[in-house]
Structure formats: structure tokens, C-alpha cells
Amino acid sequence: SAVISQKPSRDICQRGTSLTIQCQVDSQVTMMFWYRQQPGQSLTLIATANQGSEATYESGFVIDKFPISRPNLTFSTLTVSNMSPEDSSIYLCSVRPSSGGEQYFGPGTRLTVT
Amino acid sequence: AQSVTQPDIHITVSEGASLELRCNYSYGATPYLFWYVQSPGQGLQLLLKYFSGDTLVQGIKGFEAEFKRSQSSFNLRKPSVHWSDAAEYFCAVGAAAGNKLTFGGGTRVLVKP
């Protein structure tokens, strides 16, 4: 399995601002993903972070709101732009090692927007 | 489209008793199936996975799950729960060759002393 870290672990932000979340993996991985977990809810895939190309977004999520970067095979960032209270959630990154179908998750970033 | 249903939102079980969490999935081809556990304030930890072969799979922490194609189910079991098993459990399905994981709504397990 991969060891995944996320920064920050939590943050409280004002509406209208933006927050960038970092995800670092201890080994090179082909696939990285970003998920959102709204309070008391399950996980929803935001996008697949593609190395060297634009991210692939799921229905209901757009690049202007959730820009993603993937500069190399061990690092990705997710920005939550122009935040509103509805963006209060836990944001998790995950990786899929090339050898398997399972995904491993980071500890998450708990975001509160006031 | 793939989907996952976890019929039980909450389950309360006594410490030492057995536990079974239900998971039903909808997927057109052979699915990849997973169970994850999320302890309070933590990320998700993979408990076990099913890709193919033996339909009874063993995982970490004494958990096992059984794949039943005819029932489109992948139920999770543990013979004797410990207080540390109190957490939220998520079932997920993915395409054999694809990337996306679709998660069920989760089942919160409470363990009584």
C-alpha cells in the first residue's frame, strides 16, 4: 500500500476565498483521485488527476470551481475556489497503484466555510 | 451505471457479538468490490477486496466478506466485534478495467460494552 499525506488537515475559511489542498504520496502512482465527503454523507468522486494533462471531472463538478494540478507522479493539489458554506466537507485524495484495482486514501482535509 | 446500496444506516452490536453488514451493488459486468472502514476523524482504510476467484475473501482486523453474484451482494462479517470496531463502513464497487469507485451510503456501527 501507499502512504499518503494531505495538507492542511483542517481549515476554517471565509466565504468567497479559495483553499488549496495538497496530496503527497510516498511512491509513484499512475492514478490519483479527489473525493468529497459532505457532512454525514458518503464519498463522491470529484475528478481524476491526470499527470501532465487536464483533470477529468465527474458530472456536477467543474474546473473553475475545483482546479486540480498534477505536476508529477507523487503530488497533486485541489483548489476549492470562491467558497461558500455548502463547500464545507472533508476532501480526500486517493491513489490507485498500477498493480491493483484498489484505492488507498489520504487522511482527508476537513474544510469549514463560514 | 454502477450503484451501491447499504440498507442499514446504523447498527448497534454488543462487544463480542457477531456483525454482518449488507451491501448490494448494481453493475453490468464483473465488478471489483471493496469494503473500507472510516474511524472518527480518520481517512478510509481498505478492509478487503474481491476481484475474482474464491467468493469468500479474508481481510484485515478479522473481517471477511462473501461475494454472491446471484444476489448482487457483498456482505461483510466479523465473528466477534471489539469496541475498536466502532466506525463507519463503506462498500464500494469499481469497474474491472476502469478507475472510478462508487461508494454506498455507509453503515455506522456502534459497539455496546
Side-chain angles (χ1 to χ4, degrees):
Chain A
S1 66
V3 177
I4 305 163
S5 60
Q6 285 186 234
K7 291 181 182 179
S9 58
R10 59 177 63 227
D11 207 342
I12 301 173
C13 302
Q14 292 189 341
R15 71 171 65 213
T17 63
S18 298
L19 177 72
T20 295
I21 302 167
Q22 299 179 6
C23 178
Q24 179 76 52
V25 191
D26 68 341
S27 59
Q28 294 187 342
V29 292
T30 304
M31 308 301 298
M32 293 183 76
F33 308 89
W34 287 98
Y35 288 81
R36 181 177 72 182
Q37 186 178 24
Q38 294 177 297
Q41 302 296 314
S42 186
L43 283 78
T44 302
L45 180 64
I46 297 172
T48 302
N50 301 308
Q51 194 265 330
S53 65
E54 196 169 280
T56 304
Y57 290 83
E58 296 297 305
S59 175
F61 297 96
V62 295
I63 187 172
D64 290 345
K65 176 66 175 177
F66 297 102
I68 287 171
S69 77
R70 176 89 191 271
N72 56 54
L73 293 176
T74 63
F75 186 78
S76 177
T77 66
L78 168 75
T79 299
V80 186
S81 304
N82 189 24
M83 288 183 285
S84 67
E86 292 70 36
D87 294 319
S88 297
S89 297
I90 298 173
Y91 292 86
L92 300 104
C93 71
S94 74
V95 303
R96 179 184 174 189
S98 302
S99 60
E102 67 270 25
Q103 294 182 19
Y104 297 96
F105 286 80
T109 296
R110 184 179 295 272
L111 170 63
T112 302
V113 183
T114 60
Chain B
Q2 55 200 46
S3 66
V4 180
T5 302
Q6 293 179 245
D8 304 305
I9 297 174
H10 293 100
I11 285 181
T12 299
V13 60
S14 297
E15 191 168 15
S18 64
L19 174 68
E20 180 166 14
L21 303 183
R22 295 183 291 165
C23 172
N24 294 98
Y25 67 91
S26 174
Y27 188 68
T30 301
Y32 280 18
L33 294 160
F34 309 88
W35 276 99
Y36 287 88
V37 61
Q38 185 177 37
S39 298
Q42 303 296 313
L44 271 70
Q45 183 180 20
L46 178 67
L47 285 175
L48 47 77
K49 62 187 179 186
Y50 173 78
F51 292 167
S52 65
D54 193 347
T55 57
L56 184 64
V57 293
Q58 302 297 318
I60 63 172
K61 304 186 178 188
F63 285 93
E64 66 178 25
E66 185 171 14
F67 171 61
K68 292 186 178 181
R69 185 187 299 277
S70 61
Q71 299 179 18
S72 296
S73 69
F74 188 56
N75 294 349
L76 181 71
R77 297 192 293 256
K78 185 168 185 177
S80 177
V81 298
H82 186 261
W83 64 265
S84 60
D85 293 321
E88 184 133 27
Y89 293 79
F90 292 96
C91 181
V93 63
N99 305 317
K100 179 178 178 177
L101 283 186
T102 299
F103 284 83
T107 298
R108 184 169 298 277
V109 174
L110 303 176
V111 180
K112 295 190 302 182

